[in-house]
Amino acid sequence: MDLGLTAADAEFRREARDWLAAHVPAEPLPSLETAEGFAAHREWERELYTGRWSAVTWPEAYGGRGASLLRWLLFEEEYYAARAPGRVSQNGVSLLAPTLFEHGTQEQLARVLPAMASGATIWAQAWSEPGAGSDLAALRSSAVRTDGGWLLRGHKTWSSRAAFADRAFGLFRSHPGADRPHNGLTYLMFDLAAPGVTVRPIGRLDGKPAFAELFLEDVFVPDADVIGEPGQGWRVAMSTAGNERGLTLRSPGRFTAAAGRLAALWRATADPADTALRDRVADALIGARAYQLAAYAGVARLTEGGTPGAAASLTKVFWSELDIALHETALDLLGPRGELAATATEAPDHGSWADGWIFALAGPVYAGTNEIQRDIIAERLLGLPKGRR
Ligand SMILES: Cc1cc2nc3c(=O)[nH]c(=O)nc-3n(C[C@H](O)[C@H](O)[C@H](O)COP(=O)(O)OP(=O)(O)OC[C@H]3O[C@@H](n4cnc5c(N)ncnc54)[C@H](O)[C@@H]3O)c2cc1C
């Protein structure tokens, strides 16, 4: 395999680096899990869009650059190396957009994508329910047929950033008599400000209010906001899940940049005699590099017409465990100072290692728990017998 970049790819990387150097805010924005931070991050999305960096792989007609997946990887490496702000539009750009490209109508693409790219519409994912997380097909929220559309009823939970987002996408039971729980579901987009929607923040350990549950009472959704065929929502949802677990949610740039910062932290602070810590830093560097190479190989396969499929589960387990190990190593290097809150003036690196660690702990849970991913790996990649459910 040739790992060299063409001159045009290298030029693309340089252009991204220069733009980021000129535009990334000097001070970190406030947390996007707060109202103030959410607004600041929405502004940042607008700026990215103005530079045509908010969705580089999309066609130009929707605000993208028509860039290849390889160039997306290069852009992401530059993005994280520049320590650019977190992407508040991530649910839309990484999850809903690939789903629309695969299953949406031309009208939906033209209506939804430009507003998503500019940050004018920020999306939340409304899949999970109190009784339907790992067993998503157990969901009970319903879509009932009405004139010109559907009425949504039910209760969704664990919806990232839903307290401040504008719209959501989710799965609803539309054909209750279907033969299997996976059948008879419909994938819909809806407005979080529509009559009948109540958004209630879920308390978090860090006190930030963006995580929320949704209560839906006869919320009207027009037919134009159904993605794919009514009753075929599971098939549509599985393409979202492949993207969520696989490449697009967690590009390797995030980990190569963090592992590089960890190595710098080790050089600046560590006792060279502490070989155990040194080895953990080296493991993080190797893990990030391995993930990077695997991602490049994955992109090559996708470019040749493959799909993420069950291999996305392998990726998901890998990046979520790497993220925890990397942050734990940083906190062990920093000692008690690493525990200072981001607001403390003496917090090393604006408290980003402690914040990152807390977030990393959720990695084995969201996007499908690692226990479930291991089952998928065992059954579909290794061909082992089905486990007991
Ligand atoms: C930070 C964060 C952000 C999230 N954001 C969103 C979001 O934006 N939108 C959204 O819809 N959801 C979101 N989620 C929800 C997430 O997808 C679910 O938490 C996840 O799918 C697990 O479901 P659950 O919480 O109901 O746990 P459960 O399914 O009840 O699982 C509990 C435990 O039992 C294990 N378990 C369950 N079934 C099996 C089995 N068959 N075999 C082996 N082990 C099993 C699980 O692995 C887990 O360890 C988020 C979650 C977190 C933590």
Side-chain angles (χ1 to χ4, degrees), residues 125 127-128 133-134 158 160 211 362 365-366 369 371-372 375 389:
Q125 182 190 20
W127 281 26
S128 303
S134 298
W158 313 133
S160 297
F211 206 37
V365 179
Y366 65 81
T369 66
E371 290 84 357
I372 299 294
D375 269 353
R389 297 273 201 280

Side-chain angles (χ1 to χ4, degrees), residues 91 95 124-136 156-161 169 204 211 244 359 361-372 375 388-389:
N91 282 325
L95 304 179
Q125 182 190 20
W127 281 26
S128 303
E129 296 185 8
S134 298
D135 186 10
L136 182 62
K156 297 282 179 180
T157 193
W158 313 133
S159 192
S160 297
R161 299 180 280 285
F169 52 93
R204 298 199 330 179
F211 206 37
E244 182 171 21
F359 185 67
L361 291 179
V365 179
Y366 65 81
T369 66
N370 282 10
E371 290 84 357
I372 299 294
D375 269 353
R388 272 187 298 163
R389 297 273 201 280

Side-chain angles (χ1 to χ4, degrees), residues 98-240:
T99 308
L100 284 173
F101 281 124
E102 209 175 320
H103 300 278
T105 62
Q106 286 305 318
E107 184 278 326
Q108 286 172 335
L109 292 170
R111 174 164 50 96
V112 172
L113 294 182
M116 183 191 286
S118 70
T121 306
I122 306 276
W123 289 84
Q125 182 190 20
W127 281 26
S128 303
E129 296 185 8
S134 298
D135 186 10
L136 182 62
L139 66 89
R140 291 195 303 197
S141 292
S142 61
V144 178
R145 194 78 189 115
T146 188
D147 249 7
W150 301 82
L151 291 175
L152 307 187
R153 296 175 187 153
H155 180 186
K156 297 282 179 180
T157 193
W158 313 133
S159 192
S160 297
R161 299 180 280 285
F164 306 121
D166 307 295
R167 304 203 75 204
F169 52 93
L171 273 175
F172 293 84
R173 195 160 293 289
S174 52
H175 299 67
D179 51 344
R180 296 172 63 228
H182 299 76
N183 293 340
L185 301 171
T186 296
Y187 202 116
L188 298 123
M189 302 179 274
F190 59 99
D191 227 315
L192 287 168
V197 179
T198 305
V199 181
R200 189 188 296 164
I202 298 171
R204 298 199 330 179
L205 269 180
D206 64 9
K208 296 188 183 122
F211 206 37
E213 57 186 331
L214 314 173
F215 298 89
L216 307 168
E217 293 168 62
D218 287 338
V219 179
F220 177 73
V221 178
D223 284 325
D225 280 343
V226 171
I227 306 178
E229 288 300 312
Q232 298 295 314
W234 188 258
R235 212 168 60 81
V236 180
M238 285 310 102
S239 72
T240 315

